[in-house]
Amino acid sequence: MLNRFARALFTKLFAPIARFLLKLGISPDAVTIVGTLGVCVGALAFYPRGSFFWGTIFITCFVFSDMIDGNMARQSGRSSVWGAYLDSTLDRVGDAAIFSGLILYYAGKGDSMIMVVLALACLVLGSVVSYAKARAEGLGMTANVGIAERADRLVAVLVTTGLVGIPFLHLPTAVLGVVLALLAVASLVTVIQRMLTVRQQALAAETGA
């Protein structure tokens, strides 16, 4: 949903930033790498200590690099297979760091096995969602379906984690737990949707052959 409705808006908003970075001689790949490192540092340095609000603020400062680097590549005419591969691979690293940070907190200071299981489920199923699409494309098919794409999952977990981390709101951990549970279910549904879509294409190709 966010990919369809928000990407065009953010592309316009980040176009001047992308243009400025290109004038400085910075490459899209450099932005991709720095953005991923920033997300990982924010998630693994702040979240395990229970600093959810500032961790989310720190991560948000870097998470939009995913759109900036693509914008830079288009403006410079340097879009490449390598750039797309690097961006996609490091996206998975950043996502894993976010959920890993939550797992580390709730396995230690947060002391909640339920939250550990929910965050781990989101981590694993999110990876399978991405793999299901990548593997389909590797086999010459498409799997661009699903109710929980990466942008949706990322926004949901970051917004909720950040809100739970604001002291004066006093939002209970259960709020984050509910969101993680919903994300896990949505991710599972997305995996099934993509598997069924690929199966349909595979059967159609076999029949046509």
Side-chain angles (χ1 to χ4, degrees), residues 29 32 36 66 69 80-95 130-131 133-134 137 150:
D29 288 352
T32 301
T36 301
D66 183 46
D69 57 11
S80 65
V81 173
W82 162 248
Y85 172 81
L86 179 68
D87 185 58
S88 180
T89 300
L90 293 187
D91 279 349
R92 306 291 85 77
V93 174
D95 294 354
S130 299
Y131 177 80
K133 180 178 179 179
E137 292 174 347
R150 177 178 181 263

Side-chain angles (χ1 to χ4, degrees), residues 1-54:
M1 182 174 63
L2 289 173
N3 280 344
R4 292 194 295 271
F5 298 111
R7 186 164 290 275
L9 172 62
F10 281 111
T11 296
K12 292 181 180 179
L13 289 176
F14 291 132
I17 298 175
R19 193 175 304 114
F20 175 72
L21 292 175
L22 286 171
K23 287 182 179 180
L24 293 178
I26 299 173
S27 70
D29 288 352
V31 172
T32 301
I33 294 170
V34 171
T36 301
L37 289 174
V39 170
C40 291
V41 169
L44 299 176
F46 288 88
Y47 282 0
R49 296 188 290 111
S51 185
F52 288 173
F53 176 72
W54 290 112

Side-chain angles (χ1 to χ4, degrees), residues 128-171:
V128 178
V129 167
S130 299
Y131 177 80
K133 180 178 179 179
R135 182 57 176 158
E137 292 174 347
L139 294 172
M141 293 177 279
T142 59
N144 297 317
V145 296
I147 61 173
E149 295 189 13
R150 177 178 181 263
D152 302 307
R153 301 193 306 272
L154 196 59
V155 169
V157 70
L158 287 179
V159 169
T160 309
T161 302
L163 290 176
V164 169
I166 300 177
F168 61 81
L169 286 183
H170 301 294
L171 288 181

Side-chain angles (χ1 to χ4, degrees), residues 70-124:
N71 204 314
M72 291 173 66
R74 286 188 294 273
Q75 288 190 38
S76 64
R78 289 187 290 176
S79 297
S80 65
V81 173
W82 162 248
Y85 172 81
L86 179 68
D87 185 58
S88 180
T89 300
L90 293 187
D91 279 349
R92 306 291 85 77
V93 174
D95 294 354
I98 291 171
F99 288 107
S100 295
L102 292 174
I103 291 170
L104 289 172
Y105 172 73
Y106 286 110
K109 185 178 178 180
D111 191 24
S112 174
M113 187 53 63
I114 292 177
M115 293 297 290
V116 169
V117 171
L118 290 175
L120 182 60
C122 288
L123 172 59
V124 173

